[in-house]
Amino acid sequence: MTSPTRASARSIADDLRRQIRDGELPPGSVLPTGRELTERYGASTKTVSAGIDLLKAEGLVVGEQGGRRRVRADRPITWNLTKFERGQRKDSAAGDDWSTAISEAGRVPAQHVTVETEAADHDVAVWLRIPDGTQIVKRTRLRTVDERPFQLATSYFPFSIADGTPLMQEGDVSMPGGILKAIGHPQLHVRDEITIRMPSPEESDRLDLPPGTPVAQHVRIGYGAEAPVRVMVTIAPGDRHVLVYELEV
């Protein structure tokens, strides 16, 4: 687009955004140089940079070494939350239900797990139906796909359930049917809560999020015969996921 008047940062961002969404600038493509854009839009270098910064804030464009700007090219995963941890789970000694689903999609999963005990904060206590400050076991997983961070999943268990079990082991531990079932505390039903929000600084750092990228917070509370046996809080970058539910109607 060549404008007869000097374009604003907003109009430059609007036009480039349209090109990205229409496929004229496909994922992974390099944006025109700053000089090319100043000539195309009849704008100053400062105005062009401000327009590009708007697209960076939206997560549509990423900067690279050397000053190049490129259209983001992440390949999202489809995460079917109806099938996840339901029915015939695909856990094995080689990988849990999540890792198996990612492998079946032709991608390469990995999980980096740390374990600690701590006092339950208010949110976790409400989810697990325990008093605030009750001792719990916390398993934090950084899930990667094709060596890129895709999810930060933190599971909380009542200490009375996790103590002395594989849930206390560091690393990516998995068992056929899931660890909870293997230790005699299967999840009989679950409740999901999904919130869309902006990430915390720590989440942005651990998930390598470009500025302006929202996340889905997926909370899954797993219930045993009498009370919750686990709550898992998963932070999923919005640019890397398609969340799917399949329901009978």
Side-chain angles (χ1 to χ4, degrees):
M1 179 185 79
T2 301
S3 173
T5 60
R6 294 177 68 84
S8 66
R10 176 62 64 183
S11 66
I12 292 171
D14 289 345
D15 190 53
L16 291 173
R17 186 188 305 107
R18 177 195 59 76
Q19 293 178 53
I20 292 170
R21 292 178 174 170
D22 289 350
E24 297 174 32
L25 288 170
S29 63
V30 177
L31 265 63
T33 66
R35 176 176 293 182
E36 290 170 337
L37 292 175
T38 59
E39 293 177 354
R40 178 183 303 179
Y41 294 107
S44 67
T45 300
K46 182 178 180 180
T47 300
V48 166
S49 295
I52 298 298
D53 286 343
L54 291 173
L55 297 179
K56 287 182 178 179
E58 295 173 15
L60 292 176
V61 170
V62 294
E64 298 182 338
Q65 290 185 349
R68 293 183 304 180
R69 284 78 62 99
R70 189 181 297 272
V71 179
R72 183 185 295 183
D74 283 314
R75 294 171 55 205
I77 60 171
T78 297
W79 192 22
N80 192 316
L81 292 165
T82 310
K83 296 179 179 178
F84 179 53
E85 300 186 322
R86 182 178 180 183
Q88 297 298 315
R89 292 176 57 126
K90 298 179 179 180
D91 307 79
S92 68
D96 65 7
D97 201 42
W98 183 86
S99 293
T100 302
I102 297 301
S103 295
E104 289 179 347
R107 312 289 290 272
V108 180
Q111 302 193 74
H112 310 276
V113 186
T114 58
V115 182
E116 56 189 313
T117 59
E118 64 180 32
D121 65 21
H122 180 70
D123 287 340
V124 172
V126 169
W127 289 324
L128 290 178
R129 297 181 185 172
I130 58 178
D132 288 11
T134 301
Q135 190 176 29
I136 57 171
V137 172
K138 173 182 174 182
R139 291 179 63 86
T140 302
R141 298 171 181 263
L142 177 62
R143 292 171 168 161
T144 66
V145 178
D146 302 333
E147 300 184 347
R148 179 160 171 73
F150 260 64
Q151 293 181 355
L152 186 61
T154 305
S155 294
Y156 303 89
F157 305 88
F159 187 81
S160 59
I161 288 178
D163 186 34
T165 75
L167 292 174
M168 302 294 291
Q169 297 179 23
E170 297 274 349
D172 187 11
V173 181
S174 59
M175 304 176 71
I179 297 177
L180 281 169
K181 181 177 181 180
I183 65 175
H185 294 279
Q187 298 178 108
L188 302 181
H189 68 278
V190 300
R191 170 186 170 86
D192 283 358
E193 301 175 3
I194 297 178
T195 304
I196 307 301
R197 60 174 175 79
M198 298 307 294
S200 69
E202 179 186 6
E203 291 164 349
S204 292
D205 182 61
R206 297 203 66 186
L207 292 167
D208 191 23
L209 300 180
T213 305
V215 296
Q217 175 180 286
H218 172 258
V219 177
R220 172 160 288 186
I221 307 166
Y223 296 86
E226 299 180 355
V229 295
R230 182 203 70 175
V231 59
M232 180 168 63
V233 181
T234 302
I235 307 303
D239 62 328
R240 300 169 205 173
H241 291 79
V242 176
L243 305 182
V244 173
Y245 281 93
E246 298 174 349
L247 306 173
E248 296 290 337
V249 296

